[in-house]
Amino acid sequence: MNEPDARPVAFGYMRVPDPTDHAHLAQLHQQVAAYARERGYRLVRVLVDTPLAQRSAFVHLVELFQEGEATELVVPTLEHFTKFTSLQVGVIDQLHELGVTVWEVGEECSPR
């Protein structure tokens, strides 16, 4: 019988302007997965927002965090939330209020 994986659960999130650029999407996914693995997290899902999406992946992500699915989020860069620093702070604060730690590949994003 297999023992359950006790590592903390993490999600990944990215926003890509061109969902047909599969090489770039795969590269970002590999970066997120490698970072989660290095931190000792079990990456169970990477949600991707695209200009053509009918439903916001970020909204779905927030719903999953509200349901208690995970407590860790890994993003390639904070610009995947938005390019505006002041709005990035707001997004990170919103996630921290849900008990989520946000990790930009390379560093933890603390509330400001």
Side-chain angles (χ1 to χ4, degrees):
M1 181 164 43
N2 292 338
E3 289 190 31
D5 192 336
R7 294 177 296 165
V9 173
F11 290 132
Y13 172 78
M14 61 186 76
R15 183 172 44 97
V16 295
D18 181 4
T20 63
D21 187 348
H22 300 292
H24 181 65
L25 191 58
Q27 178 187 24
L28 291 173
H29 191 282
Q30 288 172 355
Q31 289 173 354
V32 167
Y35 188 79
R37 194 172 39 255
E38 289 167 10
R39 286 279 185 215
Y41 301 129
R42 182 169 50 102
L43 185 69
V44 297
R45 193 167 182 183
V46 177
L47 290 92
V48 180
D49 264 322
T50 68
L52 303 175
Q54 293 184 356
R55 182 167 192 253
S56 166
F58 183 78
V59 169
H60 184 69
L61 180 71
V62 169
E63 291 169 351
L64 292 172
F65 282 126
Q66 288 172 331
E67 294 170 5
E69 297 273 337
T71 58
E72 310 298 324
L73 175 63
V74 180
V75 295
T77 68
L78 296 182
E79 287 191 356
H80 283 261
F81 293 136
T82 177
K83 292 182 187 225
F84 302 102
T85 304
S86 60
L87 295 178
Q88 292 170 0
V89 171
V91 170
I92 292 167
D93 288 345
Q94 175 189 6
L95 292 165
H96 281 161
E97 287 176 13
L98 295 173
V100 176
T101 302
V102 178
W103 299 91
E104 180 179 20
V105 172
E107 60 187 82
E108 178 182 356
C109 304
S110 302
R112 295 169 166 78

